[in-house]
Amino acid sequence: RGVRCAASASSAVGDGGGGRLLAFSPLAMVVRDKPHFGHDAAFAQRRSAGVFDGVGGWVYDGVDPGHFTRALANACAQIAQHAHSEGGGRGECPRAVLRAAVRAVDEQDTERALMGTCTATVASFTSRTELAVANLGDSGFAVLRGARVTFKSDEQQHDFNFPFQLGTDSADLPSHAARVAHRVRVGDVVIAGSDGLFDNVPLDDVARVVAQRA
């Protein structure tokens, strides 16, 4: 489940046409055809993308965490798109997107019907060469250049199998998300994924497959 979700959120970096701001290549956005996967969800736009890994343990309480996960992913997508439109084509600060999305979901859920928690990784191009990422939990992202891994984000864990997470009864907040600013260039491939990918598939293998298909 995690592997499928993470792979679907992979995107190649293009120049956006005419040497303008870097952009996630629409050709790589297979996530658009299937924006959620069980308890997980993802979104991808020209300037922003995100992966949200629903915590499956909620099912033992009779709760489908996928409802909360999808609501948060949808809110992030809408806020990121609005910021892109209002900001002259540049992406919004990912942690600000995450903070606004959590607030929006909370305000819309007046009857507190949405229960569950999820990790979150939100990435945006904020300049010609910079990819900004807010990463909360054990999801994350990697940057591939050819068959080489140039960067991999760190996980946030309270304890073994207890990642930072947003949602019901969680003390974790968007402000706890690790902020990363990483320089990228045309042709790089950004992999945003859950632990289902990064815990089970060596990144060197992922890089080789991507390089073969490039």
Side-chain angles (χ1 to χ4, degrees):
R1 175 173 57 86
V3 172
R4 186 171 66 236
C5 176
S8 295
S10 308
S11 293
V13 175
D15 67 0
R20 295 191 296 273
L21 294 174
L22 293 173
F24 290 104
S25 167
L27 295 177
M29 292 182 190
V30 293
V31 67
R32 287 189 171 187
D33 299 325
K34 192 171 184 181
H36 56 82
F37 315 82
H39 302 145
D40 306 338
F43 77 90
Q45 302 165 349
R46 284 188 60 78
R47 298 287 185 261
S48 302
V51 169
F52 307 82
D53 186 5
V55 176
W58 281 96
V59 298
Y60 298 109
D61 293 325
V63 173
D64 179 359
H67 296 304
F68 170 78
T69 305
R70 290 189 287 276
L72 184 60
N74 290 338
C76 281
Q78 293 171 8
I79 292 166
Q81 181 61 43
H82 177 74
H84 165 65
S85 300
E86 297 294 319
R90 286 175 170 78
E92 177 64 274
C93 166
R95 197 152 77 171
V97 169
L98 198 55
R99 184 184 302 113
V102 168
R103 186 185 309 117
V105 170
D106 186 59
E107 290 174 352
Q108 293 167 10
D109 185 28
T110 56
E111 296 183 1
R112 296 296 179 265
L114 284 176
M115 296 184 65
T117 51
C118 67
T119 66
T121 299
V122 179
S124 295
F125 290 116
T126 54
S127 74
R128 288 183 178 275
T129 60
E130 184 175 274
L131 177 70
V133 180
N135 188 53
L136 188 138
D138 57 3
S139 296
F141 80 104
V143 178
L144 312 180
R145 187 166 295 158
R148 186 165 58 93
V149 180
T150 63
F151 184 83
K152 169 65 173 67
S153 61
D154 294 326
E155 295 183 353
Q156 290 180 315
Q157 296 262 14
H158 291 292
D159 205 342
F160 175 73
N161 205 32
F162 182 18
F164 283 34
Q165 53 201 273
L166 299 171
T168 308
D169 296 334
S170 175
D172 300 324
L173 301 170
S175 59
H176 296 150
R179 293 188 295 181
V180 178
H182 187 75
R183 288 194 173 275
V184 291
R185 67 189 189 194
V186 174
D188 285 355
V189 174
V190 180
I191 306 283
S194 70
D195 62 333
L197 173 67
F198 296 123
D199 288 354
N200 294 288
V201 183
L203 264 179
D204 287 342
D205 290 348
V206 175
R208 279 195 295 271
V209 171
V210 170
Q212 290 168 2
R213 297 188 177 189

